Amino acid sequence: MIKQYLLSPGPTAVPERVLLRMAQPMMHHRTPGFSAIFADTRDMLQKVFQTKQPPIMLSSSGSGAMEAAVANLFSTGDTVIYVNGGKFGERWGKIATAYGLNTVEIAVEWGQAVSVDDVQLALDEYPDARAVLLQASETSTTTEHPVREIAQLISNREDCVIIVDAITALGVIDMPMDDWGLDVVISGSQKAFMLPPGLAMLALSDKAWAMAEDKADCNGFYFNLLAERKSQKPGSDTTAWTPAVSLICGLHEVLTMLHDEGLQESFARHNTLAKATRAGCEALGLKLLSSSPATSATGVYLPENINGAAFVKYARDQMGVTLAGGQDHLKGKIVRIAHLGYYDAFDVVIAMSTLEMALAHFGQDVVFGAGTAAAQNELMARLPK
Ligand SMILES: *Cc1c(COP(=O)(O)O)cnc(C)c1O
């Protein structure tokens, strides 16, 4: 037997009490019992989004909510600007293109944050642009983009919205939707929300809802946000179609945990875990991939003589620790270590000792404990004084 640890930036580990909650007998979704759970879940979720808007839940992975945002707000021929600094930024372009939109790409070097000036330039060059689409945390490059500053460029534009894929940011970093003037914020179940994959959550500002109402083309059928708003609003407390009942029950449990912890405390925990992971990696001589490192996951370059794919495979198959590798031109070059969701100090310790032992296996000169010790220094912040 090899004990398994899931330390990848999605899916993430699911707490036992959430697994047990989801193992309860199936209930019918058109019942007062389910509606009570749904309403409670929606109201707790709203606090995580930090908005006055009731959020919407969809049965899909996170990409479904990305598609729903594009499908419900824009019409063929509309121009949108998107930030492409990694696989998920690239996805915005693919979705928008699939819906016949004119896409303006802001290409960003992988591992860099988009420059606010570049977004301003694009807005100046395309005054009819109806949106800026970006990631709060680009998971493929473990990079955070300056969402707040970009939102400020858009807030006084009548017919332009900012759409934020916050799938590895919501619940991880403080990103108050209404205070920052974010128009669409998107999340998914299998990352910070420590659930199995299959549920997407999003919230829309008044401006974004007005766009959805005024849209020329059809808003789609299954992912029709106007239909969902009608069904899911307080008092209706149901979904347009059969919801992911078990996942919503699981989300209720997760949100109870999150509210017991406190939102600010959750942000502080993630911040400490991220700092500890970076300190540990740097103590092992591993260079950070990002110049604007994410709070959700840390990417580092492996020494050049190590094949990253073999490294990740060895950690998973021989040590039981699932880390993530790199994609596209970073394939085989980097390793990504998650620190979001159901994750605490000793998960960082496991990650660090895994790196040390795997580096040693691949012939590196490693002082065992060097990365772990550097991480532990930061992790002391998790303990009461
Ligand atoms: C995981 C993730 C997604 C969504 O991917 P799904 O596989 O559809 O859940 C989108 N954006 C980011 C930044 C992600 O990390």
Side-chain angles (χ1 to χ4, degrees):
M1 183 204 83
I2 302 177
K3 186 167 176 181
Q4 301 294 315
Y5 300 90
L6 187 55
L7 306 184
S8 68
T12 61
V14 181
E16 295 79 354
R17 63 184 266 193
V18 176
L19 292 169
L20 288 170
R21 179 65 189 85
M22 291 189 300
Q24 286 184 18
M26 187 47 51
M27 68 195 299
H28 197 278
H29 57 290
R30 306 291 186 211
T31 54
F34 179 73
S35 279
I37 294 170
F38 182 86
D40 227 27
T41 307
R42 180 201 57 225
D43 295 348
M44 287 195 283
L45 189 58
Q46 190 173 342
K47 296 196 178 107
V48 181
F49 277 86
Q50 302 188 65
T51 174
K52 65 172 181 144
Q53 306 282 349
I56 301 290
M57 290 175 247
L58 301 172
S59 303
S60 74
S61 76
S63 302
M66 293 170 75
E67 172 156 358
V70 170
N72 281 270
L73 266 63
F74 312 113
S75 299
T76 314
D78 281 353
T79 298
V80 296
I81 297 166
Y82 72 103
V83 173
N84 182 357
K87 287 309 279 182
F88 294 108
E90 180 182 70
R91 188 167 301 175
W92 275 133
K94 287 184 175 168
I95 296 171
T97 301
Y99 279 87
L101 310 187
N102 294 325
T103 55
V104 177
E105 177 192 66
I106 303 178
V108 180
E109 200 188 317
W110 285 30
Q112 305 274 315
V114 67
S115 122
V116 179
D117 290 344
D118 286 352
V119 179
Q120 182 64 61
L121 284 175
L123 284 164
D124 291 344
E125 195 176 343
Y126 298 92
D128 61 339
R130 304 203 68 207
V132 172
L133 306 115
L134 80 166
Q135 274 59 43
S137 156
E138 170 55 77
T139 320
S140 65
T141 66
T142 62
T143 297
E144 268 168 23
H145 289 305
V147 168
R148 184 181 200 171
E149 289 77 3
I150 292 168
Q152 281 166 0
L153 307 180
I154 292 156
S155 60
N156 55 3
R157 290 183 180 239
E158 284 272 309
D159 202 32
C160 183
V161 290
I162 176 166
I163 302 186
V164 184
D165 164 1
I167 294 176
T168 52
L170 196 72
V172 175
I173 55 173
D174 195 9
M175 213 186 61
M177 176 171 166
D178 291 356
D179 282 0
W180 286 14
L182 310 179
D183 293 300
V184 181
V185 174
I186 293 168
S187 193
S189 55
Q190 83 274 24
K191 313 248 172 114
F193 283 96
M194 44 191 168
L195 285 165
L199 196 64
M201 298 83 95
L202 76 169
L204 278 70
S205 68
D206 289 331
K207 201 197 220 180
W209 279 120
M211 244 190 213
E213 285 158 5
D214 298 345
K215 181 177 137 87
D217 293 353
C218 148
N219 288 62
F221 185 76
Y222 187 75
F223 287 128
N224 186 313
L225 295 178
L226 297 175
E228 291 297 348
R229 176 172 64 170
K230 197 159 167 255
S231 298
Q232 297 191 23
K233 71 170 191 276
S236 297
D237 306 324
T238 187
T239 50
W241 323 118
T242 307
V245 172
S246 309
L247 287 169
I248 290 173
C249 291
L251 180 58
H252 187 275
E253 195 70 18
V254 165
L255 291 167
T256 304
M257 289 174 69
L258 199 55
H259 290 296
D260 285 350
E261 180 182 20
L263 210 46
Q264 294 303 325
E265 286 74 12
S266 172
F267 302 146
R269 170 169 57 88
H270 283 96
N271 192 44
T272 299
L273 301 175
K275 266 166 79 177
T277 304
R278 291 195 292 268
C281 288
E282 286 180 321
L284 290 171
L286 303 172
K287 189 172 163 291
L288 291 183
L289 164 65
S290 179
S291 58
S292 168
T295 313
S296 54
T298 297
V300 287
Y301 289 102
L302 288 165
E304 269 177 21
N305 55 341
I306 294 182
N307 172 338
F311 186 92
V312 170
K313 186 175 187 306
Y314 182 81
R316 184 190 65 216
D317 296 347
Q318 307 305 327
M319 304 172 78
V321 180
T322 299
L323 304 167
Q327 291 157 295
D328 289 1
H329 63 275
L330 293 178
K331 204 174 171 132
K333 298 204 167 102
I334 62 157
V335 60
R336 288 175 299 146
I337 306 137
H339 28 75
L340 80 167
Y342 188 44
Y343 206 99
D344 208 341
F346 293 96
D347 298 299
V348 177
V349 170
I350 289 169
M352 287 306 127
S353 44
T354 302
L355 288 182
E356 290 168 2
M357 290 165 77
L359 285 168
H361 170 80
F362 283 93
Q364 293 299 303
D365 214 357
V366 184
V367 180
F368 282 139
T372 312
Q376 281 172 303
N377 273 321
E378 297 291 341
L379 293 170
M380 287 303 285
R382 289 288 300 140
L383 302 179
K385 290 251 159 50

